[in-house]
Amino acid sequence: MKGFREKAGASKCFSKSTPDTPNRSLASVGSELGSSESKSSKGSLLSSLFNSAFSVFETYSESSANEKKAVHNKSNGWTAAVKRLVTAGSMRRIHERVLGPSRTGISSSTSDIWLLGVCHKIAQDEALGDAAGNNGLAEFNQDFSSRILISYRKGFDPIGDSKITSDVGWGCMLRSSQMLVAQPFDREYVEILHLFGDSETSPFSIHNLLQAGKAYGLAAGSWVGPYAMCRSWEALARCQRAETGLGCQSLPMAIYVVSGDEDGERGGAPVVCIDDASRHCSVFSKGQADWTPILLLVPLVLGLEKVNPRYIPTLRLTFTFPQSLGIVGGKPGASTYIVGVQEESAIYLDPHDVQPVINIGKDDLEADTSTYHSDVIRHIHLDSIDPSLAIGFYCRDKDDFDDFCARASKLAEESNGAPLFTVTQTHKKPVNHSDVLGETGGVPEDDSLGVMSMNDAVGNAHEDDWQLL
C-alpha cells in the first residue's frame, strides 16, 4: 500500500528478529460500574449513559441562543460531565470498567508474532529488553503502527435523516470492519483515508455503509453483528458497481461473503465455493476478466457464550496465511480489529478511542493523519473473544486464491472434525446465487446475526450475548 509508514511485505518472515437522569452524578455511575453487577446490568448502564449523553447533545443542538445561555448559567455540572464522557480517555475508562481492562505491550515470550500473514521472530534478548543486534521486535512495532486505525469520531455530518453526528457507543463493529477492508488497498495513502472518511462523499463511510445495509436492519445508533456487517459490505459494493463504470469503481476487489449451502449462518461450517468465487470476479469485472482481486469475508459463530476451545488452534493458524486480513470481533458489546497472534494472545487495534472528525481530501498531503495510527499494542486471550466474529482474507489473483484454497483445505483436514470453513469446487445442493449474479437478493428471514437497537440488545444480553459484538 503506497504511502504507508514503511509497511512490511505480506507473508514475509523476518529473521532475528435502567435509564439514567441528569441528576445522577458521574461519581455514582463510576461506583456502579465498578460493582459486582452482572454483565447485562453493566451493559444496560452503559447503554443508558450513551442514550442520556446523546439526548443532551441533541436537545442542546436544537436550542436557541438564549436557551443555550440559560443552560450554561443553570448547569450543575452535568453538561460538562457529559462532554467529558465522550472524550477518548473517559470512554476508554468506561469500557475498561464494564468489559475489563485490556493488556498492552508485548509479553516476554520469544514466540513468533504473526501479524496479517507476516511472521516476526522475536529473539530472546529482545524479549528481555535488549534489542542490540536484533530487529524482530522493532520490525513488528513498525508493522503494527503502520496499519490503518479507524476509530469513533464525533462532529461529522448527520447520518441520513437522523441528528446523529457521532458513532460513540454503537459504531465499533462498523469501524472494525472499515479497518479490515482498508488494509489491502493499493492506492496513495491520503486517498485511502479519504475513501473511508466520515461523510456521504466518502464511498466507504459509515454513512454509506448504513444506507447500503438497511435491508439487513442497519441503522444509526444500533449495534450490528458480524453477519449483517459482511452482507452490508457486499451490498455497498453491489450498489457502487451499478452506479459506476468498470474503471471508476472505488472498491478494487470483488467481495464474497462465505456461507453454507443454504446461506448457512446457522449450523455447519461455511463453504468456500470456487465456482462462486469465480462468478463474483466475473460480475465485479462486468465480464471483462476471468479473475480479479477478491475479498473473502467469513462470518462465524464458534460457540454460545465463549469460543469453543476446539476452534482456537485453527483460528490462530489463519493468521499464518499470506492472505490473512485478521478478524473483526472482540468482547460482547465491544468489537475490535484483531490483527495478530502470539501464542494464546490476540493482538488488536481498538476503535473505542474518540477523535474529532477530520475531513481529508484525496490530494491533501498536509493532513494530520496521526489519529489513524497507534503504537499502543493491546491484546486479549484468544479464549476471551466473542464467539460471533468474521474472518477476512484477500487474494490478489487466481494463483493467490489457489494457494489460499490449498492452505484452507489442509487446515480443515487437520482440524479434528471442527473446521472453521471448508473448500469445494461447486455446491452439492442448488443455491440461490442472486447475490452472486448482482441481482437484488432477499434478506434471510432469520437474520439472528444482524442488528439490534441499543436498548433491545442490552435487554437481551443474558439470552443472546453473542449478538452484541
Side-chain angles (χ1 to χ4, degrees):
M1 192 180 298
K2 301 177 183 176
F4 266 61
R5 309 176 187 173
E6 300 280 324
K7 195 177 81 164
S11 69
K12 194 175 181 182
C13 191
F14 296 97
S15 59
K16 296 184 181 179
S17 36
T18 5
D20 292 333
T21 65
N23 292 325
R24 298 180 65 186
S25 69
L26 287 187
S28 66
V29 169
S31 175
E32 292 177 36
L33 288 174
S35 68
S36 57
E37 293 177 285
S38 67
K39 182 163 58 176
S40 61
S41 296
K42 291 183 177 182
S44 179
L45 178 57
L46 183 59
S47 177
S48 296
L49 276 169
F50 291 145
N51 288 330
S52 297
F54 286 124
S55 176
V56 169
F57 286 139
E58 290 179 6
T59 301
Y60 183 77
S61 64
E62 294 174 347
S63 301
S64 66
N66 289 335
E67 289 172 328
K68 289 179 179 178
K69 184 176 180 180
V71 169
H72 284 291
N73 291 337
K74 297 180 180 179
S75 174
N76 61 0
W78 169 253
T79 303
V82 170
K83 288 182 178 179
R84 287 195 301 271
L85 172 64
V86 295
T87 62
S90 297
M91 185 57 62
R92 165 70 53 208
R93 287 190 292 273
I94 288 173
H95 272 279
E96 290 185 351
R97 295 295 292 274
V98 174
L99 304 173
S102 59
R103 292 174 289 179
T104 60
I106 293 300
S107 71
S108 59
S109 172
T110 58
S111 299
D112 295 346
I113 302 175
W114 284 93
L115 193 150
L116 302 186
V118 180
C119 175
H120 298 274
K121 291 191 173 293
I122 310 300
Q124 185 174 4
D125 49 2
E126 286 186 291
L128 296 175
D130 180 9
N134 298 282
N135 62 1
L137 187 55
E139 295 276 10
F140 164 74
N141 287 330
Q142 186 177 45
D143 191 3
F144 178 85
S145 63
S146 76
R147 304 292 174 167
I148 289 180
L149 167 68
I150 304 179
S151 66
Y152 285 156
R153 295 281 170 174
K154 57 181 179 179
F156 49 67
D157 292 339
I159 298 175
D161 296 329
S162 76
K163 299 174 183 178
I164 295 178
T165 59
S166 172
D167 62 317
V168 175
W170 58 270
C172 54
M173 175 59 74
L174 286 86
R175 298 303 189 179
S176 300
S177 73
Q178 284 178 316
M179 285 190 269
L180 185 149
V181 175
Q183 300 307 318
F185 273 65
D186 186 16
R187 300 192 182 187
E188 293 297 334
Y189 173 58
V190 294
E191 184 181 355
I192 296 172
L193 298 187
H194 167 75
L195 291 172
F196 290 84
D198 294 303
S199 70
E200 292 182 357
T201 59
S202 293
F204 310 123
S205 64
I206 63 172
H207 299 65
N208 291 323
L209 267 173
L210 291 168
Q211 178 65 29
K214 279 186 175 181
Y216 295 94
L218 266 69
S222 296
W223 277 303
V224 57
Y227 178 80
M229 191 72 261
C230 293
R231 288 298 183 189
S232 296
W233 276 104
E234 185 181 55
L236 180 57
R238 185 166 57 241
C239 290
Q240 293 194 352
R241 186 169 62 242
E243 294 172 358
T244 62
L246 181 59
C248 302
Q249 295 188 72
S250 299
L251 193 70
M253 55 206 165
I255 293 183
Y256 173 22
V257 179
V258 180
S259 61
D261 285 338
E262 296 177 353
D263 202 25
E265 70 275 13
R266 279 189 179 276
V271 180
V272 176
C273 178
I274 297 173
D275 287 350
D276 278 357
S278 177
R279 279 189 287 267
H280 275 284
C281 291
S282 178
V283 170
F284 173 76
S285 68
K286 299 189 176 182
Q288 300 301 303
D290 292 332
W291 206 269
T292 67
I294 186 169
L295 168 64
L296 289 83
L297 298 174
V298 190
L300 297 165
V301 179
L302 303 179
L304 293 177
E305 295 183 356
K306 294 182 65 177
V307 174
N308 190 314
R310 64 181 183 168
Y311 292 114
I312 291 179
T314 48
L315 198 62
R316 182 173 58 242
L317 286 172
T318 61
F319 287 91
T320 68
F321 286 29
Q323 301 84 9
S324 172
L325 283 181
I327 296 172
V328 173
K331 293 185 179 182
S335 176
T336 64
Y337 176 36
I338 301 174
V339 296
V341 290
Q342 183 186 36
E343 295 181 335
E344 301 302 313
S345 292
I347 301 166
Y348 64 91
L349 288 166
D350 194 346
H352 294 97
D353 285 328
V354 188
Q355 303 290 347
V357 68
I358 299 176
N359 295 312
I360 299 179
K362 290 187 291 186
D363 303 313
D364 188 0
L365 300 179
E366 302 301 319
D368 179 4
T369 63
S370 59
T371 59
Y372 285 94
H373 298 274
S374 175
D375 56 5
V376 179
I377 301 165
R378 303 183 184 277
H379 56 97
I380 59 174
H381 202 278
L382 277 168
D383 65 8
S384 297
I385 65 175
D386 195 286
S388 181
L389 51 86
I391 311 177
F393 301 96
Y394 172 72
C395 302
R396 300 184 305 275
D397 49 35
K398 184 59 165 63
D399 289 341
D400 201 26
F401 179 78
D402 289 343
D403 179 75
F404 162 78
C405 289
R407 292 173 183 270
S409 296
K410 185 172 185 285
L411 187 65
E413 291 170 2
E414 298 174 352
S415 66
N416 295 318
L420 297 173
F421 54 91
T422 60
V423 180
T424 187
Q425 180 67 43
T426 187
H427 282 287
K428 295 179 181 179
K429 299 178 182 179
V431 198
N432 183 352
H433 291 294
S434 60
D435 282 346
V436 176
L437 300 176
E439 300 169 3
T440 301
V443 180
E445 291 182 6
D446 183 16
D447 186 14
S448 58
L449 302 188
V451 299
M452 303 179 73
S453 69
M454 294 174 66
N455 292 333
D456 288 344
V458 172
N460 289 286
H462 64 290
E463 297 176 354
D464 298 301
D465 227 8
W466 47 271
Q467 292 179 310
L468 305 182
L469 260 177

